[in-house]
Amino acid sequence: MINALLIRELMARFGHHNIGFMWQIIEPLMLTLGVMISWSFIYGDRNHGVRVIPLVLTGYTFLTLWRHMIARLTHTFRHGSGLLFHRDVRPADILVARGLLESIGTLISFFVAYIPLSLLDVIEPVDDYLVLLGAWTLMAFFSFGVALVITALAHFSDAFERIVQPIMYLILPLTGVFYMVYWLPPAAQSIVNWSPLVNASEMFRAGYFGSGLPTTWNAAYVLLCAIAVNAVGWVLALKAQQHIELE
């Protein structure tokens, strides 16, 4: 069922014409490459001793996952209600399919950018794939949980739905995508280290850069936060699905 919903979501979003589902990979790739070029002009080859291109690649890929996961799931109960006429389709199936599509599609876009840049020696190779992919899994799990909470609350309140995007912009400093924690003063480090997003971002960069770059992260903390928000999210989602109006 999940496989069928994944294919259906791709077809509905991108159609059968031109390059179709490849847009799922190209859209985040275009954003990341655009920022790479902009930051290279602004900061040159390095920023605070860190190479700019891999810094942007790791940071904005994470940001894309975070933002797209929430944006794509927010309207699930309203725009996906027509699928519920099929007896075997449940709201949870639609949510999981969309979450998988965003997490897998954005990860593929990361490697589509990484592989040619690495082969051309523009960036250094990944140091530890296990840590890197572990961080991605934790980030996707946490983002999905937050998206569940927002999806349910947005279903209950139109007013809440309108403030989601402003909130997303306001918490950008807590994502860790624009900086490394060790760049910050000690007082600021103690604050941002409470953010699961910053921990996941630092872990992802630890997997990429290795021990040559100071990173601060706690995988267990991110996992606990992800479990907590998913637990709350599923409780709210189950309540919200009882009020879905079929189209």
Side-chain angles (χ1 to χ4, degrees), residues 33-156:
L33 291 176
V35 177
M36 277 184 191
I37 295 171
S38 301
W39 276 41
S40 296
F41 278 115
I42 296 172
Y43 298 108
D45 182 59
R46 295 180 180 270
N47 184 20
H48 290 81
V50 182
R51 295 190 66 184
V52 165
I53 291 179
L55 181 70
V56 172
L57 178 61
T58 53
Y60 270 84
T61 304
F62 244 46
L63 181 62
T64 301
L65 172 63
W66 166 247
R67 295 180 62 182
H68 281 201
M69 184 76 78
I70 292 173
R72 299 300 188 189
L73 264 68
T74 298
H75 303 290
T76 297
F77 289 147
R78 295 181 183 178
H79 297 168
S81 60
L83 291 172
L84 300 180
F85 280 108
H86 300 281
R87 184 175 58 183
D88 295 331
V89 177
R90 300 169 299 173
D93 296 327
I94 304 173
L95 290 167
V96 171
R98 291 189 173 186
L100 286 173
L101 181 61
E102 294 306 324
S103 58
I104 295 172
T106 311
L107 181 61
I108 292 174
S109 74
F110 168 80
F111 281 106
V112 168
Y114 163 76
I115 290 173
L117 290 173
S118 179
L119 291 174
L120 294 171
D121 289 327
V122 176
I123 59 176
E124 56 267 34
V126 171
D127 182 79
D128 191 329
Y129 280 98
L130 183 61
V131 174
L132 182 130
L133 294 176
W136 186 268
T137 302
L138 289 173
M139 179 62 176
F141 187 30
F142 179 78
S143 300
F144 182 75
V146 174
L148 282 178
V149 174
I150 292 175
T151 299
L153 294 178
H155 184 72
F156 287 123

Side-chain angles (χ1 to χ4, degrees), residues 186-230:
Q189 291 184 28
S190 63
I191 294 173
V192 300
N193 280 334
W194 283 101
S195 169
L197 298 172
V198 171
N199 277 265
S201 178
E202 287 279 297
M203 182 179 175
F204 191 69
R205 283 172 169 154
Y208 185 90
F209 291 105
S211 59
L213 192 67
T215 53
T216 305
W217 49 277
N218 186 331
Y221 174 68
V222 181
L223 178 60
L224 287 174
C225 291
I227 292 173
V229 293
N230 271 273

Side-chain angles (χ1 to χ4, degrees), residues 167-185:
I167 291 175
M168 293 289 289
Y169 281 104
L170 290 174
I171 66 173
L172 277 177
L174 296 178
T175 60
V177 300
F178 299 109
Y179 58 84
M180 300 293 299
V181 170
Y182 81 91
W183 295 355
L184 305 176

